[in-house]
Amino acid sequence: MFATRGGTRIFYEVAGEGPAIVFVHGLGGTSNVWHAQRVGLAKYFRVITLDLPGSGRSSRTTEGHSMDGWADDVLAVADAAGLGRLVLVGHSMTTVLAQRFAVRHAARAAGIVLCGPLTELAPPAQEVFRKRAERVMAEGMIAVADGVLAGALTPATREANPALAGLYRELLLANDPACYAAHCRALIADSARADQPEIACPTLILLGDQDGVTPLSLIQPIAAAIRGCRLHIIPATAHLTMLERPELFNAALVEFCSSLPALNW
């Protein structure tokens, strides 16, 4: 199915019935990084997964990418799917989007879940992503795929489950370089710092214990800045907790969603 905003088509899928959980992938991903959540959680919830504009089966546009725009894209999908209040789950780059959504569209946010979250990129990291964007434009996704993969999964997972590593590598390689570079620039340009004190809905952070991309030292200030924020560490995982230990990821998500007051859904 597709929602449309400003002439851009946004692909989404719906599975299950019940309270709504919307999942948004991170940089270089598609809605299919959430396949284990779509299958496992559809028994209890209405699960909506979407491809950001520029990714997957959505319009391959290189213009107009921003956290504000993506928050409005999520709202467009929610409206097209007939959702009321929802829990929004973001990963890495799109945790900035989720924090923005919680403020920009507060009436629709029953809760947010931030997986490997960010507030903003520090200047050294901004330069890293500028160079990454330039490199993929010059050399294609093959130039960065293995480096991204190394931080996404633990060494143990890459060794024990090379098929998973290979499938994620293929997902990265399928990106349009110009769209990926545009997403990098959107990440560089924005920050959730001003949003965090304004977030009023229940918030959960999910973090891998071996996450070197967004380590605990970067997460603790986020947890402190958002009122009532909960932090849950998922063992034996790096940045892609939902892929490495989906059973633990899903259990933490069910526990959080089940704790929300029924009137908030």
Side-chain angles (χ1 to χ4, degrees):
M1 292 179 281
F2 290 90
T4 302
R5 190 182 74 84
T8 296
R9 283 160 53 87
I10 308 157
F11 176 84
Y12 70 97
E13 293 183 277
V14 181
E17 297 293 337
I21 307 179
V22 177
F23 292 86
V24 189
H25 62 84
L27 177 64
T30 75
S31 55
N32 280 315
V33 300
W34 304 112
H35 184 68
Q37 286 65 55
R38 181 167 51 225
V39 172
L41 297 178
K43 303 170 188 174
Y44 316 107
F45 302 100
R46 192 176 187 193
V47 176
I48 297 89
T49 55
L50 63 98
D51 293 335
L52 287 176
S55 299
R57 288 147 288 183
S58 292
S59 296
R60 290 296 180 101
T61 176
T62 61
E63 301 297 329
H65 296 299
S66 70
M67 298 299 166
D68 284 343
W70 289 338
D72 291 347
D73 290 334
V74 170
L75 184 65
V77 168
D79 287 344
L83 309 182
R85 291 173 64 79
L86 57 94
V87 169
L88 180 59
V89 183
H91 175 243
S92 196
M93 175 182 75
T94 61
T95 61
V96 181
L97 152 63
Q99 293 169 80
R100 183 65 46 79
F101 184 92
V103 175
R104 189 174 176 91
H105 303 298
R108 303 291 286 274
I112 57 173
V113 180
L114 311 176
C115 310
L118 298 165
T119 296
E120 62 195 9
L121 294 181
Q126 290 179 6
E127 184 59 24
V128 167
F129 278 86
R130 269 192 211 95
K131 290 180 178 177
R132 184 187 292 187
E134 292 170 359
R135 191 172 182 196
V136 299
M137 289 298 291
E139 305 174 38
M141 290 301 300
I142 192 71
V144 302
D146 288 329
V148 173
L149 179 61
L153 303 171
T154 62
T157 294
R158 297 199 306 273
E159 181 175 349
N161 195 348
L164 174 62
L167 288 171
Y168 186 69
R169 185 176 189 269
E170 177 58 28
L171 182 148
L172 292 170
L173 291 173
N175 277 269
D176 178 277
C179 293
Y180 183 90
H183 285 188
C184 287
R185 290 190 288 269
L187 174 58
I188 291 166
D190 220 319
S191 168
R193 190 168 301 280
D195 299 306
Q196 289 167 354
E198 304 300 320
I199 295 173
C201 64
T203 302
L204 172 67
I205 291 175
L206 294 178
L207 179 68
D209 66 339
Q210 299 178 48
D211 191 337
V213 179
T214 54
L216 184 60
S217 60
L218 293 181
I219 302 309
Q220 289 169 323
I222 301 174
I226 300 175
R227 292 188 300 275
C229 183
R230 311 176 206 179
L231 172 61
H232 185 100
I233 306 294
I234 298 182
T237 62
H239 200 48
L240 290 173
T241 55
M242 74 291 279
L243 291 182
E244 291 196 270
R245 297 296 301 272
E247 73 288 358
L248 296 182
F249 184 99
N250 289 0
L253 199 51
V254 169
E255 180 181 11
F256 172 71
C257 291
S258 298
S259 75
L260 300 178
L263 292 179
N264 278 355
W265 288 73

